[in-house]
Amino acid sequence: PPRAPHLVLDPGNASMEDEPLAPTRLRAFDSPGARVDDPLWTLEREIARLEEQSAPGAERANAYQSLAELWRDRIGSLDEASRAYRQAVAADPADADLLREASACCLDAGDARVALQYANAAVAAAPTPTGRSSARALRARLHAILGNPQACVEDLCEATADDPANAEPHEVV
């Protein structure tokens, strides 16, 4: 004679004759014995530690910048790199170099409008004429891409006035 099934898989009517199996206990992944050779994992754990400890903004920004560089240079994901740069800027919004890097990465990722916002902030935050000249050259490039030649020319002129020795404004043209 046919036997009744041990498990009935009928939507809304599933039942088991025996007790369900107890869930398997997995070893905690971040236990002292667990080793992972993944630079992303290491950096993300470091960032989590810094966030948890409310570390100074510059320290967190450095960790996020390292993460952005890893995404961009080793993994090749501009979207993730752009996101990490944005987090770095959120941690330290007064760092003009970081703002310029975020702008350039957003541009490389194809988001020229967001890149322009970061370039504007980089120009405003630049503490030296050389830094301001670099930020203005990047902003001029963005204006050219976005179809605003008048703003492009103005930024190129201002970039050259800020630092005549800077070659970046000449490379935009």
Short mmCIF file of all heavy atoms in Angstrom, two decimals, residues 14-77:
data_model
loop_
_atom_site.label_atom_id
_atom_site.label_comp_id
_atom_site.label_asym_id
_atom_site.label_seq_id
_atom_site.Cartn_x
_atom_site.Cartn_y
_atom_site.Cartn_z
N ALA A 14 0.99 23.30 4.50
CA ALA A 14 2.22 22.55 4.73
C ALA A 14 2.25 22.05 6.16
O ALA A 14 1.95 22.76 7.10
CB ALA A 14 3.43 23.43 4.45
N SER A 15 2.62 20.79 6.32
CA SER A 15 2.73 20.24 7.66
C SER A 15 3.83 19.19 7.67
O SER A 15 4.20 18.63 6.65
CB SER A 15 1.41 19.62 8.10
OG SER A 15 1.11 18.52 7.27
N MET A 16 4.35 18.93 8.86
CA MET A 16 5.37 17.90 9.04
C MET A 16 4.94 17.00 10.18
O MET A 16 4.40 17.47 11.18
CB MET A 16 6.72 18.55 9.38
CG MET A 16 7.30 19.38 8.26
SD MET A 16 8.87 20.13 8.70
CE MET A 16 9.88 18.71 8.98
N GLU A 17 5.21 15.72 10.04
CA GLU A 17 4.88 14.80 11.13
C GLU A 17 5.88 14.94 12.26
O GLU A 17 5.52 14.87 13.42
CB GLU A 17 4.84 13.36 10.61
CG GLU A 17 3.67 13.12 9.68
CD GLU A 17 3.69 11.71 9.12
OE1 GLU A 17 4.47 10.87 9.60
OE2 GLU A 17 2.91 11.46 8.21
N ASP A 18 7.16 15.11 11.92
CA ASP A 18 8.19 15.23 12.94
C ASP A 18 8.41 16.71 13.28
O ASP A 18 7.97 17.60 12.58
CB ASP A 18 9.51 14.65 12.43
CG ASP A 18 9.38 13.16 12.15
OD1 ASP A 18 8.53 12.51 12.79
OD2 ASP A 18 10.13 12.66 11.29
N GLU A 19 9.13 16.93 14.36
CA GLU A 19 9.50 18.29 14.75
C GLU A 19 10.44 18.85 13.68
O GLU A 19 11.25 18.14 13.12
CB GLU A 19 10.22 18.27 16.10
CG GLU A 19 9.31 17.95 17.27
CD GLU A 19 8.32 19.07 17.50
OE1 GLU A 19 8.74 20.25 17.48
OE2 GLU A 19 7.14 18.78 17.70
N PRO A 20 10.34 20.15 13.41
CA PRO A 20 11.28 20.74 12.44
C PRO A 20 12.70 20.67 12.97
O PRO A 20 12.93 20.64 14.19
CB PRO A 20 10.80 22.18 12.30
CG PRO A 20 9.90 22.43 13.44
CD PRO A 20 9.42 21.10 13.94
N LEU A 21 13.64 20.65 12.06
CA LEU A 21 15.05 20.60 12.45
C LEU A 21 15.44 21.92 13.10
O LEU A 21 15.00 22.99 12.69
CB LEU A 21 15.93 20.36 11.22
CG LEU A 21 15.71 19.03 10.50
CD1 LEU A 21 16.53 19.02 9.22
CD2 LEU A 21 16.09 17.87 11.39
N ALA A 22 16.29 21.82 14.09
CA ALA A 22 16.80 23.02 14.75
C ALA A 22 17.76 23.72 13.79
O ALA A 22 18.47 23.07 13.02
CB ALA A 22 17.53 22.65 16.03
N PRO A 23 17.77 25.04 13.80
CA PRO A 23 18.67 25.75 12.89
C PRO A 23 20.13 25.43 13.21
O PRO A 23 20.49 25.24 14.37
CB PRO A 23 18.35 27.22 13.12
CG PRO A 23 17.58 27.28 14.38
CD PRO A 23 16.99 25.93 14.62
N THR A 24 20.92 25.36 12.18
CA THR A 24 22.34 25.09 12.35
C THR A 24 23.02 26.32 12.91
O THR A 24 22.77 27.43 12.46
CB THR A 24 22.97 24.74 10.99
OG1 THR A 24 22.24 23.67 10.43
CG2 THR A 24 24.42 24.36 11.14
N ARG A 25 23.87 26.15 13.89
CA ARG A 25 24.63 27.26 14.46
C ARG A 25 25.87 27.46 13.63
O ARG A 25 26.67 26.55 13.47
CB ARG A 25 25.03 26.97 15.91
CG ARG A 25 23.88 26.80 16.86
CD ARG A 25 23.16 28.05 17.19
NE ARG A 25 23.85 28.79 18.21
CZ ARG A 25 23.67 30.08 18.38
NH1 ARG A 25 22.84 30.73 17.62
NH2 ARG A 25 24.29 30.72 19.32
N LEU A 26 26.01 28.64 13.06
CA LEU A 26 27.20 28.96 12.28
C LEU A 26 28.18 29.72 13.14
O LEU A 26 27.80 30.51 14.01
CB LEU A 26 26.82 29.82 11.07
CG LEU A 26 25.86 29.18 10.07
CD1 LEU A 26 25.49 30.19 9.00
CD2 LEU A 26 26.50 27.95 9.45
N ARG A 27 29.45 29.50 12.87
CA ARG A 27 30.49 30.23 13.60
C ARG A 27 30.41 31.71 13.20
O ARG A 27 30.21 32.02 12.02
CB ARG A 27 31.86 29.67 13.23
CG ARG A 27 32.97 30.29 14.03
CD ARG A 27 34.29 29.70 13.64
NE ARG A 27 34.68 30.39 12.43
CZ ARG A 27 35.59 29.98 11.60
NH1 ARG A 27 36.22 28.87 11.79
NH2 ARG A 27 35.89 30.67 10.52
N ALA A 28 30.51 32.58 14.16
CA ALA A 28 30.48 34.02 13.87
C ALA A 28 31.60 34.36 12.90
O ALA A 28 32.75 33.95 13.10
CB ALA A 28 30.62 34.83 15.16
N PHE A 29 31.27 35.11 11.85
CA PHE A 29 32.24 35.40 10.80
C PHE A 29 33.38 36.25 11.31
O PHE A 29 34.51 36.10 10.88
CB PHE A 29 31.54 36.07 9.63
CG PHE A 29 32.44 36.24 8.44
CD1 PHE A 29 32.88 35.14 7.75
CD2 PHE A 29 32.83 37.49 8.02
CE1 PHE A 29 33.71 35.28 6.66
CE2 PHE A 29 33.66 37.64 6.93
CZ PHE A 29 34.09 36.53 6.24
N ASP A 30 33.09 37.18 12.21
CA ASP A 30 34.15 38.06 12.68
C ASP A 30 34.75 37.59 13.99
O ASP A 30 35.23 38.38 14.78
CB ASP A 30 33.68 39.50 12.76
CG ASP A 30 32.44 39.67 13.61
OD1 ASP A 30 31.81 38.65 13.93
OD2 ASP A 30 32.12 40.81 13.94
N SER A 31 34.73 36.30 14.21
CA SER A 31 35.37 35.76 15.40
C SER A 31 36.88 35.87 15.22
O SER A 31 37.37 35.99 14.10
CB SER A 31 34.94 34.30 15.62
OG SER A 31 35.48 33.49 14.60
N PRO A 32 37.64 35.82 16.32
CA PRO A 32 39.09 35.99 16.21
C PRO A 32 39.76 34.99 15.26
O PRO A 32 40.76 35.29 14.65
CB PRO A 32 39.58 35.79 17.64
CG PRO A 32 38.40 36.09 18.50
CD PRO A 32 37.20 35.70 17.68
N GLY A 33 39.18 33.79 15.10
CA GLY A 33 39.78 32.80 14.23
C GLY A 33 39.46 32.99 12.76
O GLY A 33 40.09 32.39 11.90
N ALA A 34 38.48 33.84 12.45
CA ALA A 34 38.07 34.03 11.05
C ALA A 34 39.01 35.02 10.38
O ALA A 34 39.20 36.12 10.85
CB ALA A 34 36.64 34.55 10.99
N ARG A 35 39.59 34.63 9.28
CA ARG A 35 40.50 35.49 8.53
C ARG A 35 39.95 35.64 7.11
O ARG A 35 39.62 34.66 6.45
CB ARG A 35 41.89 34.88 8.44
CG ARG A 35 42.55 34.69 9.78
CD ARG A 35 43.33 35.94 10.12
NE ARG A 35 44.01 35.71 11.39
CZ ARG A 35 44.01 36.57 12.37
NH1 ARG A 35 43.40 37.72 12.24
NH2 ARG A 35 44.62 36.32 13.48
N VAL A 36 39.87 36.88 6.68
CA VAL A 36 39.40 37.16 5.33
C VAL A 36 40.43 38.03 4.65
O VAL A 36 40.81 39.08 5.18
CB VAL A 36 38.03 37.87 5.35
CG1 VAL A 36 37.60 38.26 3.96
CG2 VAL A 36 37.00 36.99 6.01
N ASP A 37 40.89 37.60 3.50
CA ASP A 37 41.87 38.38 2.76
C ASP A 37 41.15 39.18 1.69
O ASP A 37 41.26 38.92 0.50
CB ASP A 37 42.92 37.45 2.14
CG ASP A 37 44.07 38.23 1.54
OD1 ASP A 37 44.31 39.38 1.96
OD2 ASP A 37 44.74 37.70 0.62
N ASP A 38 40.34 40.14 2.14
CA ASP A 38 39.56 40.98 1.24
C ASP A 38 39.74 42.43 1.68
O ASP A 38 39.30 42.81 2.75
CB ASP A 38 38.08 40.58 1.32
CG ASP A 38 37.18 41.43 0.44
OD1 ASP A 38 37.69 42.29 -0.29
OD2 ASP A 38 35.96 41.23 0.50
N PRO A 39 40.41 43.24 0.86
CA PRO A 39 40.66 44.63 1.27
C PRO A 39 39.37 45.42 1.50
O PRO A 39 39.33 46.31 2.34
CB PRO A 39 41.48 45.21 0.14
CG PRO A 39 41.35 44.28 -1.01
CD PRO A 39 40.97 42.94 -0.45
N LEU A 40 38.31 45.11 0.76
CA LEU A 40 37.03 45.79 0.99
C LEU A 40 36.51 45.50 2.38
O LEU A 40 36.06 46.39 3.10
CB LEU A 40 35.99 45.33 -0.03
CG LEU A 40 35.96 46.03 -1.36
CD1 LEU A 40 34.96 45.38 -2.29
CD2 LEU A 40 35.67 47.50 -1.21
N TRP A 41 36.56 44.24 2.76
CA TRP A 41 36.06 43.82 4.07
C TRP A 41 36.84 44.53 5.18
O TRP A 41 36.26 45.06 6.11
CB TRP A 41 36.17 42.30 4.20
CG TRP A 41 35.56 41.75 5.44
CD1 TRP A 41 34.24 41.61 5.71
CD2 TRP A 41 36.25 41.25 6.58
NE1 TRP A 41 34.05 41.04 6.95
CE2 TRP A 41 35.29 40.80 7.50
CE3 TRP A 41 37.60 41.11 6.90
CZ2 TRP A 41 35.61 40.26 8.73
CZ3 TRP A 41 37.92 40.56 8.13
CH2 TRP A 41 36.94 40.15 9.03
N THR A 42 38.15 44.57 5.02
CA THR A 42 39.00 45.22 6.02
C THR A 42 38.67 46.71 6.14
O THR A 42 38.51 47.23 7.25
CB THR A 42 40.48 45.03 5.65
OG1 THR A 42 40.75 43.63 5.50
CG2 THR A 42 41.40 45.61 6.70
N LEU A 43 38.57 47.39 5.01
CA LEU A 43 38.27 48.82 5.03
C LEU A 43 36.87 49.09 5.58
O LEU A 43 36.67 50.04 6.35
CB LEU A 43 38.38 49.42 3.63
CG LEU A 43 39.75 49.93 3.24
CD1 LEU A 43 39.78 50.31 1.77
CD2 LEU A 43 40.14 51.12 4.09
N GLU A 44 35.91 48.29 5.19
CA GLU A 44 34.55 48.51 5.67
C GLU A 44 34.45 48.28 7.18
O GLU A 44 33.71 48.97 7.87
CB GLU A 44 33.56 47.65 4.89
CG GLU A 44 33.37 48.20 3.48
CD GLU A 44 32.52 47.33 2.59
OE1 GLU A 44 32.28 46.15 2.92
OE2 GLU A 44 32.09 47.84 1.54
N ARG A 45 35.19 47.31 7.70
CA ARG A 45 35.22 47.10 9.16
C ARG A 45 35.87 48.30 9.85
O ARG A 45 35.42 48.72 10.91
CB ARG A 45 35.95 45.81 9.50
CG ARG A 45 35.10 44.58 9.21
CD ARG A 45 35.82 43.30 9.58
NE ARG A 45 36.41 43.34 10.90
CZ ARG A 45 35.84 42.86 12.00
NH1 ARG A 45 34.67 42.30 11.93
NH2 ARG A 45 36.46 42.91 13.16
N GLU A 46 36.94 48.82 9.26
CA GLU A 46 37.61 49.99 9.83
C GLU A 46 36.67 51.20 9.83
O GLU A 46 36.58 51.93 10.82
CB GLU A 46 38.88 50.30 9.03
CG GLU A 46 39.59 51.57 9.45
CD GLU A 46 40.19 51.51 10.85
OE1 GLU A 46 40.27 50.42 11.43
OE2 GLU A 46 40.59 52.58 11.35
N ILE A 47 35.95 51.39 8.75
CA ILE A 47 34.98 52.50 8.68
C ILE A 47 33.89 52.32 9.72
O ILE A 47 33.53 53.28 10.42
CB ILE A 47 34.40 52.61 7.26
CG1 ILE A 47 35.47 53.14 6.30
CG2 ILE A 47 33.16 53.50 7.23
CD1 ILE A 47 35.11 53.03 4.84
N ALA A 48 33.39 51.11 9.87
CA ALA A 48 32.36 50.85 10.88
C ALA A 48 32.88 51.16 12.28
O ALA A 48 32.18 51.76 13.10
CB ALA A 48 31.89 49.40 10.79
N ARG A 49 34.14 50.78 12.53
CA ARG A 49 34.74 51.07 13.84
C ARG A 49 34.85 52.58 14.06
O ARG A 49 34.50 53.09 15.14
CB ARG A 49 36.12 50.41 13.94
CG ARG A 49 36.80 50.60 15.30
CD ARG A 49 38.22 50.09 15.29
NE ARG A 49 39.11 50.85 14.41
CZ ARG A 49 39.61 52.05 14.70
NH1 ARG A 49 39.29 52.66 15.83
NH2 ARG A 49 40.41 52.67 13.87
N LEU A 50 35.31 53.30 13.03
CA LEU A 50 35.45 54.76 13.15
C LEU A 50 34.09 55.43 13.37
O LEU A 50 33.98 56.36 14.17
CB LEU A 50 36.13 55.32 11.90
CG LEU A 50 37.60 54.97 11.71
CD1 LEU A 50 38.08 55.38 10.33
CD2 LEU A 50 38.46 55.59 12.79
N GLU A 51 33.08 54.97 12.64
CA GLU A 51 31.73 55.53 12.79
C GLU A 51 31.20 55.25 14.19
O GLU A 51 30.60 56.12 14.83
CB GLU A 51 30.78 54.95 11.74
CG GLU A 51 31.11 55.34 10.31
CD GLU A 51 30.78 56.78 9.97
OE1 GLU A 51 30.13 57.48 10.77
OE2 GLU A 51 31.19 57.21 8.87
N GLU A 52 31.41 54.03 14.66
CA GLU A 52 30.92 53.65 15.99
C GLU A 52 31.58 54.49 17.08
O GLU A 52 30.95 54.84 18.07
CB GLU A 52 31.22 52.17 16.21
CG GLU A 52 30.65 51.62 17.49
CD GLU A 52 30.92 50.12 17.60
OE1 GLU A 52 30.29 49.36 16.86
OE2 GLU A 52 31.77 49.74 18.43
N GLN A 53 32.85 54.81 16.90
CA GLN A 53 33.59 55.59 17.90
C GLN A 53 33.42 57.09 17.70
O GLN A 53 34.03 57.87 18.42
CB GLN A 53 35.08 55.25 17.83
CG GLN A 53 35.41 53.85 18.24
CD GLN A 53 36.89 53.54 18.06
OE1 GLN A 53 37.63 54.28 17.42
NE2 GLN A 53 37.31 52.43 18.64
N SER A 54 32.63 57.49 16.72
CA SER A 54 32.46 58.91 16.39
C SER A 54 33.82 59.59 16.21
O SER A 54 34.09 60.65 16.77
CB SER A 54 31.64 59.63 17.47
OG SER A 54 30.35 59.09 17.52
N ALA A 55 34.65 58.97 15.40
CA ALA A 55 35.99 59.49 15.13
C ALA A 55 35.88 60.84 14.43
O ALA A 55 34.86 61.16 13.83
CB ALA A 55 36.76 58.50 14.26
N PRO A 56 36.93 61.64 14.50
CA PRO A 56 36.92 62.94 13.82
C PRO A 56 36.64 62.78 12.32
O PRO A 56 36.99 61.77 11.71
CB PRO A 56 38.33 63.48 14.05
CG PRO A 56 38.85 62.74 15.24
CD PRO A 56 38.18 61.40 15.23
N GLY A 57 36.02 63.80 11.75
CA GLY A 57 35.63 63.76 10.36
C GLY A 57 36.78 63.48 9.41
O GLY A 57 36.64 62.70 8.46
N ALA A 58 37.93 64.09 9.65
CA ALA A 58 39.08 63.89 8.75
C ALA A 58 39.53 62.44 8.76
O ALA A 58 39.91 61.90 7.72
CB ALA A 58 40.22 64.81 9.16
N GLU A 59 39.48 61.81 9.91
CA GLU A 59 39.89 60.40 10.02
C GLU A 59 38.92 59.49 9.26
O GLU A 59 39.33 58.60 8.51
CB GLU A 59 39.95 60.01 11.49
CG GLU A 59 40.73 58.76 11.77
CD GLU A 59 40.89 58.50 13.26
OE1 GLU A 59 40.88 59.46 14.06
OE2 GLU A 59 41.00 57.31 13.61
N ARG A 60 37.63 59.74 9.42
CA ARG A 60 36.64 58.96 8.69
C ARG A 60 36.74 59.22 7.19
O ARG A 60 36.63 58.31 6.37
CB ARG A 60 35.23 59.28 9.19
CG ARG A 60 34.96 58.72 10.59
CD ARG A 60 33.60 59.09 11.05
NE ARG A 60 33.51 60.53 10.82
CZ ARG A 60 32.50 61.30 11.04
NH1 ARG A 60 31.43 60.85 11.51
NH2 ARG A 60 32.51 62.58 10.80
N ALA A 61 36.97 60.49 6.82
CA ALA A 61 37.10 60.85 5.41
C ALA A 61 38.27 60.12 4.77
O ALA A 61 38.17 59.64 3.64
CB ALA A 61 37.27 62.36 5.26
N ASN A 62 39.39 60.00 5.50
CA ASN A 62 40.54 59.26 4.96
C ASN A 62 40.19 57.80 4.70
O ASN A 62 40.61 57.24 3.68
CB ASN A 62 41.73 59.35 5.92
CG ASN A 62 42.40 60.70 5.88
OD1 ASN A 62 42.29 61.43 4.91
ND2 ASN A 62 43.10 61.04 6.95
N ALA A 63 39.44 57.20 5.60
CA ALA A 63 39.05 55.80 5.41
C ALA A 63 38.11 55.66 4.21
O ALA A 63 38.28 54.75 3.37
CB ALA A 63 38.39 55.26 6.67
N TYR A 64 37.15 56.56 4.08
CA TYR A 64 36.24 56.52 2.93
C TYR A 64 37.00 56.80 1.63
O TYR A 64 36.70 56.21 0.59
CB TYR A 64 35.10 57.53 3.08
CG TYR A 64 33.97 57.03 3.94
CD1 TYR A 64 33.66 57.63 5.15
CD2 TYR A 64 33.20 55.95 3.53
CE1 TYR A 64 32.61 57.17 5.93
CE2 TYR A 64 32.14 55.48 4.30
CZ TYR A 64 31.86 56.10 5.51
OH TYR A 64 30.82 55.63 6.27
N GLN A 65 37.99 57.69 1.68
CA GLN A 65 38.78 57.97 0.48
C GLN A 65 39.57 56.72 0.07
O GLN A 65 39.66 56.41 -1.12
CB GLN A 65 39.72 59.14 0.72
CG GLN A 65 40.50 59.52 -0.52
CD GLN A 65 41.35 60.75 -0.34
OE1 GLN A 65 41.60 61.20 0.78
NE2 GLN A 65 41.81 61.32 -1.43
N SER A 66 40.12 56.01 1.04
CA SER A 66 40.82 54.76 0.73
C SER A 66 39.87 53.76 0.09
O SER A 66 40.23 53.05 -0.86
CB SER A 66 41.44 54.16 1.99
OG SER A 66 42.43 54.99 2.51
N LEU A 67 38.64 53.70 0.61
CA LEU A 67 37.64 52.81 0.04
C LEU A 67 37.31 53.23 -1.40
O LEU A 67 37.22 52.38 -2.30
CB LEU A 67 36.37 52.83 0.90
CG LEU A 67 35.24 51.90 0.48
CD1 LEU A 67 35.68 50.45 0.57
CD2 LEU A 67 34.02 52.15 1.36
N ALA A 68 37.17 54.52 -1.63
CA ALA A 68 36.87 55.02 -2.98
C ALA A 68 37.99 54.67 -3.95
O ALA A 68 37.74 54.23 -5.08
CB ALA A 68 36.66 56.54 -2.95
N GLU A 69 39.22 54.86 -3.52
CA GLU A 69 40.36 54.54 -4.38
C GLU A 69 40.43 53.05 -4.68
O GLU A 69 40.77 52.65 -5.80
CB GLU A 69 41.66 55.03 -3.73
CG GLU A 69 41.75 56.54 -3.72
CD GLU A 69 42.85 57.08 -2.82
OE1 GLU A 69 43.53 56.27 -2.12
OE2 GLU A 69 43.04 58.30 -2.80
N LEU A 70 40.09 52.23 -3.71
CA LEU A 70 40.07 50.78 -3.92
C LEU A 70 39.00 50.42 -4.96
O LEU A 70 39.26 49.66 -5.89
CB LEU A 70 39.80 50.06 -2.60
CG LEU A 70 39.75 48.54 -2.67
CD1 LEU A 70 41.12 47.97 -2.98
CD2 LEU A 70 39.24 47.99 -1.36
N TRP A 71 37.80 50.99 -4.78
CA TRP A 71 36.73 50.72 -5.75
C TRP A 71 37.13 51.18 -7.15
O TRP A 71 36.92 50.48 -8.14
CB TRP A 71 35.44 51.42 -5.35
CG TRP A 71 34.60 50.68 -4.36
CD1 TRP A 71 34.34 51.03 -3.08
CD2 TRP A 71 33.90 49.44 -4.58
NE1 TRP A 71 33.53 50.09 -2.49
CE2 TRP A 71 33.24 49.11 -3.39
CE3 TRP A 71 33.77 48.58 -5.67
CZ2 TRP A 71 32.46 47.98 -3.25
CZ3 TRP A 71 32.99 47.44 -5.54
CH2 TRP A 71 32.35 47.15 -4.33
N ARG A 72 37.73 52.36 -7.24
CA ARG A 72 38.06 52.93 -8.55
C ARG A 72 39.27 52.22 -9.19
O ARG A 72 39.20 51.80 -10.34
CB ARG A 72 38.36 54.42 -8.40
CG ARG A 72 38.65 55.14 -9.71
CD ARG A 72 39.15 56.55 -9.49
NE ARG A 72 40.42 56.48 -8.77
CZ ARG A 72 40.88 57.44 -7.98
NH1 ARG A 72 40.20 58.54 -7.79
NH2 ARG A 72 42.02 57.30 -7.35
N ASP A 73 40.36 52.08 -8.44
CA ASP A 73 41.62 51.63 -9.02
C ASP A 73 41.78 50.11 -9.10
O ASP A 73 42.33 49.61 -10.07
CB ASP A 73 42.80 52.22 -8.24
CG ASP A 73 42.78 53.74 -8.23
OD1 ASP A 73 42.17 54.33 -9.14
OD2 ASP A 73 43.37 54.33 -7.31
N ARG A 74 41.30 49.40 -8.10
CA ARG A 74 41.52 47.95 -8.09
C ARG A 74 40.32 47.16 -8.58
O ARG A 74 40.47 46.12 -9.20
CB ARG A 74 41.91 47.48 -6.69
CG ARG A 74 43.32 47.94 -6.35
CD ARG A 74 43.93 47.33 -5.15
NE ARG A 74 43.87 45.89 -5.09
CZ ARG A 74 43.98 45.22 -3.96
NH1 ARG A 74 44.15 45.86 -2.82
NH2 ARG A 74 43.92 43.91 -3.95
N ILE A 75 39.13 47.65 -8.29
CA ILE A 75 37.92 46.90 -8.65
C ILE A 75 37.31 47.45 -9.93
O ILE A 75 36.71 46.72 -10.70
CB ILE A 75 36.92 46.89 -7.48
CG1 ILE A 75 37.57 46.19 -6.28
CG2 ILE A 75 35.62 46.22 -7.87
CD1 ILE A 75 36.78 46.24 -5.01
N GLY A 76 37.49 48.74 -10.17
CA GLY A 76 37.01 49.33 -11.42
C GLY A 76 35.55 49.74 -11.40
O GLY A 76 34.94 49.87 -12.45
N SER A 77 34.99 49.99 -10.22
CA SER A 77 33.60 50.42 -10.14
C SER A 77 33.54 51.91 -9.83
O SER A 77 33.74 52.33 -8.68
CB SER A 77 32.85 49.63 -9.06
OG SER A 77 31.55 50.15 -8.90
#
